[in-house]
Amino acid sequence: MKVSSPPPPGSVICAMVVDKRHVAAAVKSLEMAMKHRTSAAPPEHPIQVEGNQDAQYFSGGETLCQGVTVPYERPKVGSTYTTILFVHRYRQHPLLIVITLQSPDGQILGRGSFEVLVSCIPGSDQMRDEEQALEGGHFVERHQKQLIEKVSGMDIILPRLLRFVLNDDDYRRIRTEQTDAGMMAKLLELMPGWGKAQKDELYRELIATNGPLIRALKEEEEESRLQVYEAHASPFINYELREYLVEGHQEELIRCAVGVDVVVEFLESHAVITFHQMQDIRGTSQQQMQKLYELMPNWTVSQKLQMHDILSKTNRRLITQLQGGHFVDRHREELIERVTEVPLNQLRGSALDEEQYETLLKCATEKMQMQALFEMVQKWNRPQKDQLYRALAETNPDVVKVLEAGTLTDQQGVSPSKWREEALVLAALQLDVLSFSPSF
């Protein structure tokens, strides 16, 4: 909390835990609760202060609001802030932490709040243990085998590690090897004696010299983590999976989300975006979603979860579909049957190398091309699948629109003209603005 001028002597900082189901009642009970503060924290009090003997605790309205106050202290000479350590005790329902600066007579001089996100997923400890086992330490430790086999340019990497990571003797010993693989193997033999800073330095040099390899390894890890999360899926909220659905399905959410005006207003009202940012988000739903994703790199995990939750209310069917995986994975069979123009030229040189491109050209029919293409897709990462999705939307828009709407069931024998007719109907129903203003 930042103040523009010192508050009156005797002012206090109050941290209050509020049950989000009873916010109005909690606010009403606050004034009375503040009159009955005690210096000793009750055993089950949900928020406590460490290292401050002047803390006073209160509860009000059958624990609808519980909190603690500490005297306001000016920062010490040479410092720009004072640190207060609040410790929150676990509760299994939605909570809001409200921080206020109050004058001696109870006047509110400043206020801020944030939501507490507590995972209550059964088996979360097991899931965390499995994830730690999956990670196996630092990135360069987890991928030693792949780094030895695939890293190139060791002649460039080693001099950059001299002094900070390697001493002269280690450097000369490694340079006696004749191949990149041999030098990398010798280098990684030294890693048990390194700290995190040395491992980070190697990681940075690998990104600079072997960027595509490092990105591919991180994509593989992302897929493995998602499998861990899905293995422990439950009716309870899975925060990691909600965040993945927002970040991992950017292409489809931009193309298919509707009612984005409501989404934008919700995000502004919950301080995910500013009022000025909201004013800049205009146009169709696709354009608005594109602008939201341009802002997303600066968001916290909590803000991304809010994005997921409002989309779950305004685009419930779409979010449910996304839980089934990437668009091209969910609709593999339908795409093989229905695509009439295989977008080989759009994929050539990026998702497809020249050898793969020539192999697909030799297939006798479009269906055979799609079957062979999907054999390759099984090994693709998300950006490559995104590229195929965009290319199919460009070359086979009618097919993609029907699949995006989730209406395809058993359409064997349906003519292309019938597909175009259904796609036009769906487009007409794809309203940009919802006709209601939901209450959250």
Side-chain angles (χ1 to χ4, degrees):
M1 180 177 291
K2 186 176 182 180
V3 297
S4 57
S5 59
S11 297
V12 298
I13 295 175
C14 172
M16 180 174 65
V17 179
V18 178
D19 185 333
K20 288 188 68 179
R21 301 169 297 181
H22 309 292
V23 173
V27 173
K28 291 180 181 178
S29 67
L30 175 60
E31 183 177 355
M32 183 61 67
M34 290 280 286
K35 294 178 180 178
H36 298 87
R37 288 177 282 176
T38 63
S39 57
E44 297 302 319
H45 203 72
I47 189 166
Q48 300 181 16
V49 175
E50 288 192 359
N52 193 315
Q53 301 299 319
D54 297 318
Q56 292 189 311
Y57 299 86
F58 62 87
S59 298
E62 297 181 350
T63 71
L64 288 177
C65 73
Q66 298 172 290
V68 57
T69 64
V70 293
Y72 171 83
E73 297 179 6
R74 298 188 65 173
K76 295 180 180 179
V77 176
S79 178
T80 57
Y81 58 87
T82 299
T83 301
I84 304 171
L85 180 58
F86 294 102
V87 179
H88 173 246
R89 300 171 69 90
Y90 175 80
R91 289 292 183 87
Q92 292 190 10
H93 49 70
L95 296 174
L96 194 68
I97 304 293
V98 180
I99 308 290
T100 58
L101 177 63
Q102 301 183 23
S103 66
D105 59 1
Q107 181 182 357
I108 303 296
L109 304 176
R111 177 187 287 116
S113 66
F114 57 90
E115 186 176 348
V116 177
L117 298 176
V118 181
S119 174
C120 55
I121 308 169
S124 59
D125 290 339
Q126 178 186 357
M127 186 172 70
R128 186 162 50 251
D129 291 342
E130 290 186 21
E131 187 173 348
Q132 290 173 350
L134 165 71
E135 292 186 350
H138 195 282
F139 180 91
V140 295
E141 295 174 298
R142 298 194 299 269
H143 298 288
Q144 293 186 57
K145 183 175 183 293
Q146 296 96 320
L147 294 177
I148 291 171
E149 293 175 351
K150 299 179 180 180
V151 162
S152 61
M154 290 298 292
D155 288 339
I156 299 173
I157 295 172
L158 290 174
R160 296 179 180 179
L161 300 178
L162 194 59
R163 302 289 182 267
F164 183 66
V165 178
L166 299 175
N167 59 37
D168 291 336
D169 290 339
D170 291 333
Y171 177 79
R172 284 192 292 268
R173 191 179 305 113
I174 294 171
R175 289 304 300 262
T176 61
E177 295 291 329
Q178 301 301 310
T179 64
D180 285 328
M183 285 188 278
M184 177 57 75
K186 284 285 188 182
L187 175 63
L188 295 181
E189 287 176 4
L190 302 174
M191 192 161 51
W194 294 352
K196 182 177 182 298
Q198 285 83 7
K199 296 171 188 175
D200 287 346
E201 184 68 16
L202 173 58
Y203 178 60
R204 284 191 288 269
E205 293 302 333
L206 290 172
I207 291 175
T209 56
N210 291 258
L213 169 62
I214 302 305
R215 286 193 293 273
L217 292 176
K218 290 181 74 67
E219 287 285 349
E220 291 176 7
E221 283 193 333
E222 182 179 288
E223 294 294 330
S224 298
R225 286 194 183 97
L226 184 58
Q227 290 174 9
V228 171
Y229 298 144
E230 289 176 339
H232 295 278
S234 74
F236 293 86
I237 297 173
N238 187 324
Y239 294 113
E240 295 89 348
L241 185 55
R242 285 159 61 199
E243 182 186 8
Y244 176 84
L245 286 174
V246 171
E247 291 190 315
H249 293 278
Q250 175 176 339
E251 291 292 331
E252 198 163 353
L253 283 169
I254 290 175
R255 280 185 54 84
C256 302
V258 297
V260 184
D261 283 343
V262 175
V263 175
V264 171
E265 290 176 7
F266 174 88
L267 295 176
E268 191 276 333
S269 68
H270 286 69
V272 176
I273 60 176
T274 67
F275 176 78
H276 293 297
Q277 288 173 334
M278 181 181 72
Q279 294 299 305
D280 290 336
I281 300 176
R282 291 288 180 263
T284 65
S285 280
Q286 286 190 359
Q287 292 168 335
Q288 290 176 316
M289 285 296 292
Q290 181 67 52
K291 290 179 180 178
L292 285 174
Y293 271 101
E294 291 171 4
L295 298 173
M296 192 175 293
N298 297 319
W299 292 1
T300 65
V301 172
S302 174
Q303 290 170 324
K304 293 173 187 174
L305 297 184
Q306 288 178 297
M307 172 80 152
H308 171 276
D309 292 346
I310 181 59
L311 286 171
S312 295
K313 296 176 186 292
T314 59
N315 291 262
R316 178 171 298 180
R317 185 176 183 180
L318 173 59
I319 295 298
T320 301
Q321 290 174 352
L322 298 184
Q323 293 173 6
H326 197 282
F327 177 88
V328 297
D329 294 324
R330 297 199 315 270
H331 299 295
R332 172 191 172 103
E333 298 304 323
E334 296 94 330
L335 290 170
I336 289 174
E337 289 292 330
R338 294 297 169 186
V339 164
T340 57
E341 183 181 346
V342 183
L344 299 183
N345 290 330
Q346 288 84 344
L347 302 175
R348 184 181 186 181
S350 50
L352 296 175
D353 60 34
E354 199 62 27
E355 182 179 351
Q356 292 170 327
Y357 175 77
E358 295 295 336
T359 299
L360 293 173
L361 279 183
K362 295 175 183 177
C363 296
T365 65
E366 287 83 359
K367 182 175 180 179
M368 293 174 65
Q369 284 183 335
M370 288 298 291
Q371 288 173 329
L373 177 61
F374 268 100
E375 290 299 316
M376 302 173 187
V377 169
Q378 293 179 14
K379 300 178 182 179
W380 285 5
N381 56 30
R382 190 182 70 219
Q384 290 172 307
K385 293 178 181 179
D386 286 346
Q387 187 178 354
L388 174 57
Y389 177 36
R390 289 192 296 268
L392 289 170
E394 177 185 340
T395 57
N396 296 262
D398 299 337
V399 174
V400 170
K401 285 178 182 177
V402 173
L403 292 176
E404 285 174 338
T407 61
L408 182 63
T409 53
D410 182 12
Q411 303 228 18
Q412 297 295 328
V414 178
S415 67
S417 62
K418 184 64 176 177
W419 274 75
R420 285 192 290 273
E421 179 183 336
E422 184 170 355
L424 289 172
V425 172
L426 291 169
L429 295 174
Q430 197 86 337
L431 300 180
D432 273 333
V433 180
L434 298 185
S435 58
F436 64 93
S437 297
S439 167
F440 305 101

